[in-house]
Amino acid sequence: MYTDGAEHDAEEPGLMAVLELLARQAPPGEYEDLLHRTRRSGALPDALERLDRAVRLARRVMSSAGRREQREAGLAALVDTARDLTFPYDVDGLMRIVTRRARGLIDLDLAYVSLCGPGGVSYLRTSEGAAGSLLTGMRLPDDRGIAGMAQAAGAPAWSADYLADERFRHDDALDEVIRAEGVRAVMAVPLRDGDASVGVLYGADRQVRHYTPDEIGLMSALGDLAAVAVVKAGLLDQTRAEVTELELDSSRTRSSLTRMRYVSEAHSRIMNLVLSGGDLCNVAKAAGDALDGTVLIRDPGGRALATGGELDGLDEEAVAKASLDAHAGRRPVVTGENTWVAPVIAGSEDLGVLVIRTATGLTEEDERLLELSAQSVAFLLLMRRSTAVAEGPVRDELLDDLLSETPHAPQQMTQRSRRLGIDLSAPHVLVVARPEGGEQGRAVVWASSYAYRMAGLKTVQGGCIVLLLPGADASAAARAVSDELTPLLGHPVSVGAAGPGRDADAVARMYQEAMRCLDALTALNGAGSAASVQDLGFLGLLLSDDHDVAGFVDSAIGPVLAYDAERFTELTRTLEAYFASGGSPTNAAEELHVHPNTVSRRLDRIGELLGADWQKPGRVLEVQLALRLQRTRDVLSRQRTTTPPERTGRDGGAG
């Protein structure tokens, strides 16, 4: 009894020491030290066996407690991760959190995530702890390696030494990357959204490692959280994209509404100009200001009716082609850089085109405003035509009365003309146009509109259109009428003109001269041409009623006469000698008693004054006739100044 009690007392310190070590969670080495001390103390074998068993039980308790603490720490980490994943990160930010948490969760050397991209191809999205071989965007095979097994099974797959593990179908390129990273142990956890896979979470170590069920469970739980976060982030990105698109749509809608309001206001301003009697130039300028460009209005023949500014460098061929396309499609057509052509149409009638060049391209709303501007121009042209037609009989009657040979009451004619906006005291020219074929009706309609547009009068006499137009240049007026009317009719138009005149009585005289000019064009085989009395040279002098000798002389040799008067030279005398000698400079020099070189220099100076073509047959005849007339005028002038006045007596008889 004593012996047993003694042995029991001897065992108490060893067992109590084990409990004390277990209570303070001593490291495993202290348990080994306790066993060595007990053996050296000479303890009995039974006591040593019981102590050894107590130490093993303590170690098991410690291991279980360690696993429990690790599991608790892992669960706490998962809770923290779940909380982090609730924040509105983008996908890349979420994946960085997942890989960072994975490394700390079970103490991994590296972690990385692949996500499924378009076409079912997986790409490396992010990595943590990699040495540089795992590059973002690298393609990772889904049907090979450890990821293939995990995807097929829908559960985690792992290997303690991946490169040496023959259970997997290896991919050479991926194995090379794993080898470059020094990876041995690998774990793959599929990220699943229901039955669909969204990616794979990888954990890896650079040494052989057998992953425990607890570690695999923690990685699986992290993978489930990551899958939910990826889906949520995708939905969030989609929602953000939709919100951004809605904001853009809203912004575009607001901009469109603002632009439409601007278009409406601009169109209202243009229409107010039209309705208030504004001319085409004002309408063109208003349209150009509204569209931030320069507008040119052209008639069907391509001639400019009005412009809101300079429009240089137009490709006329391209504009002509665009005009055809615009009228065919009844819509604006772009031609060249920032240049547009819009049709000016009324029903099926072509009234011309509106050409615009802008600093930038036109938006859809700008195109609409361009169409409305073209419609406003068409409306204005139709209004002018209607006004011309309405006033036509009254205006025609006035011009008919002015053309008649019946004496006029000047005051009455002046009042009638002023009521129609015609000032007969201002310079006017008279133009007679005779269409050489075709119907006259279209020409008459055009003439009414043209006369109204030019603030003149129109009538029809003997199959010819007669126009009384403000201005002092009869030649320019004749050419303008011919240039506009000929393309419109599609056949030649002969045009004669005379003037200017400054009173009602001059109208009939100008008409007779213009008709004689027109007849002269026909006699000279010039049908389809345009000319004024002044353009016909000495023929014009003969055809004119007032026989403007001074004007003819001035037009033929005026610069030479002026040069002699200013510099006291003898160019006129040289011309006379030159013609008298049959056009021989040598004979002219003998007559003038000068050197032939002097005559040659004088002739060169005359060529500079009269033009290089002064010696052509037509010009030579006019120059010679002008010299004869000038010489005759000089002789008559000297005679008038030298003839003494006739003396008479107080009773009226000769003295």
Side-chain angles (χ1 to χ4, degrees), residues 201-274:
L201 170 63
Y202 298 89
D205 286 283
R206 294 187 171 90
Q207 61 185 358
V208 175
R209 176 175 175 180
H210 295 276
Y211 297 107
T212 66
D214 289 340
E215 293 170 340
I216 296 171
L218 289 173
M219 285 291 287
S220 295
L222 181 59
D224 292 338
L225 291 175
V228 173
V230 168
V231 173
K232 183 201 72 172
L235 293 175
L236 184 59
D237 288 346
Q238 180 180 352
T239 302
R240 285 173 174 167
E242 291 175 353
V243 170
T244 301
E245 184 64 26
L246 289 174
E247 291 176 347
L248 289 175
D249 287 343
S250 177
S251 177
R252 286 192 290 265
T253 301
R254 288 195 298 270
S255 299
S256 178
L257 289 173
T258 301
R259 188 61 184 171
M260 289 175 64
R261 185 162 51 249
Y262 174 78
V263 167
S264 177
E265 293 173 354
H267 181 230
S268 297
R269 288 195 298 271
I270 295 172
M271 283 303 298
N272 287 335
L273 275 176
V274 172

Side-chain angles (χ1 to χ4, degrees), residues 560-561 564 569-580 588 590-594 602 606 627 631:
V560 174
L561 298 175
D564 283 346
T569 56
E570 293 189 345
L571 297 185
T572 305
R573 185 164 171 256
T574 301
L575 265 178
E576 291 175 337
Y578 176 71
F579 287 126
E590 292 179 358
E591 183 179 342
L592 294 171
H593 305 290
V594 297
R602 289 178 180 177
I606 291 169
L627 287 171
R631 175 63 62 187

Side-chain angles (χ1 to χ4, degrees), residues 141-485:
D142 289 338
D143 56 346
R144 298 184 184 183
I146 195 169
M149 178 178 290
Q151 294 276 40
W158 63 93
S159 174
D161 192 356
Y162 175 75
L163 294 177
D165 198 332
E166 297 182 356
R167 293 180 301 154
F168 309 108
R169 182 186 174 191
H170 288 264
D171 180 81
D172 294 338
L174 181 60
D175 286 359
E176 186 63 29
V177 172
I178 291 176
R179 190 175 291 107
E181 287 286 343
V183 170
R184 301 291 297 276
V186 181
M187 180 193 308
V189 177
L191 308 181
R192 304 189 68 82
D193 177 27
D195 295 333
S197 175
V198 297
V200 178
L201 170 63
Y202 298 89
D205 286 283
R206 294 187 171 90
Q207 61 185 358
V208 175
R209 176 175 175 180
H210 295 276
Y211 297 107
T212 66
D214 289 340
E215 293 170 340
I216 296 171
L218 289 173
M219 285 291 287
S220 295
L222 181 59
D224 292 338
L225 291 175
V228 173
V230 168
V231 173
K232 183 201 72 172
L235 293 175
L236 184 59
D237 288 346
Q238 180 180 352
T239 302
R240 285 173 174 167
E242 291 175 353
V243 170
T244 301
E245 184 64 26
L246 289 174
E247 291 176 347
L248 289 175
D249 287 343
S250 177
S251 177
R252 286 192 290 265
T253 301
R254 288 195 298 270
S255 299
S256 178
L257 289 173
T258 301
R259 188 61 184 171
M260 289 175 64
R261 185 162 51 249
Y262 174 78
V263 167
S264 177
E265 293 173 354
H267 181 230
S268 297
R269 288 195 298 271
I270 295 172
M271 283 303 298
N272 287 335
L273 275 176
V274 172
L275 296 175
S276 61
D279 59 14
L280 284 174
C281 288
N282 290 334
V283 173
K285 189 176 185 308
D289 292 342
L291 292 166
D292 191 21
T294 303
V295 169
L296 170 64
I297 301 173
R298 287 183 168 180
D299 66 6
R303 286 164 298 280
L305 297 177
T307 181
E310 295 296 329
L311 198 60
D312 300 326
L314 276 180
D315 186 346
E316 295 296 342
E317 184 177 352
V319 170
K321 183 179 181 302
S323 298
L324 294 176
D325 295 338
H327 280 93
R330 304 177 72 86
R331 58 177 178 77
V333 174
V334 64
T335 173
E337 184 177 358
N338 297 333
T339 302
W340 294 74
V341 177
V344 180
I345 51 180
S348 59
E349 183 178 0
D350 175 11
L351 299 177
V353 294
L354 191 152
V355 183
I356 181 171
R357 178 181 291 163
T358 60
T360 58
L362 296 182
T363 64
E364 184 177 350
E365 291 80 10
D366 292 335
E367 288 188 44
R368 178 57 180 161
L369 179 55
L370 179 57
E371 292 181 5
L372 294 173
S373 300
Q375 291 178 6
S376 300
V377 171
F379 185 65
L380 178 56
L381 293 175
L382 290 177
M383 284 179 60
R384 285 187 168 185
R385 181 187 298 176
S386 300
T387 303
V389 171
E391 294 182 353
V394 178
R395 302 174 76 89
D396 291 355
E397 182 181 351
L398 173 61
L399 185 53
D400 287 337
D401 291 343
L402 290 172
L403 295 177
S404 68
E405 297 180 357
T406 305
H408 308 120
Q411 185 175 1
Q412 181 184 5
M413 299 304 295
T414 301
Q415 291 176 351
R416 288 176 61 188
S417 61
R418 285 180 177 174
R419 283 197 296 268
L420 294 175
I422 306 296
D423 183 8
L424 293 178
S425 64
H428 279 73
V429 296
L430 192 133
V431 179
V432 178
R434 182 176 62 209
E436 304 293 347
E439 296 182 1
Q440 190 184 53
R442 192 173 185 186
V444 173
V445 173
W446 170 87
S448 299
S449 176
Y450 187 79
Y452 183 82
R453 178 163 26 115
M454 302 300 294
L457 299 175
K458 154 262 168 186
T459 189
V460 179
Q461 295 276 340
C464 296
I465 296 171
V466 182
L467 296 168
L468 181 65
L469 304 172
D473 192 340
S475 299
R479 289 193 298 270
V481 169
S482 177
D483 291 343
E484 187 163 335
L485 185 54

Side-chain angles (χ1 to χ4, degrees), residues 24-104:
R24 61 184 179 87
Q25 298 180 349
E30 293 192 24
Y31 290 95
E32 294 297 331
D33 291 342
L34 176 61
L35 288 174
H36 288 311
R37 289 197 305 271
T38 303
R39 289 191 185 99
R40 287 196 299 270
S41 66
L44 296 176
D46 291 342
L48 287 173
E49 182 179 356
R50 285 193 291 271
L51 182 61
D52 183 65
R53 183 183 178 194
V55 168
R56 288 198 302 273
L57 291 174
R59 287 174 175 170
R60 188 178 301 173
V61 171
M62 288 179 59
S63 176
S64 178
R67 287 196 301 273
R68 184 169 56 254
E69 291 177 357
Q70 183 180 12
R71 188 180 299 111
E72 291 175 354
L75 292 174
L78 286 176
V79 172
D80 293 340
T81 302
R83 185 177 62 253
D84 290 343
L85 295 181
T86 59
F87 294 113
Y89 295 104
D90 57 12
V91 175
D92 290 330
L94 287 171
M95 293 305 97
R96 283 192 293 270
I97 292 175
V98 169
T99 52
R100 192 176 301 118
R101 291 290 188 179
R103 287 191 66 196

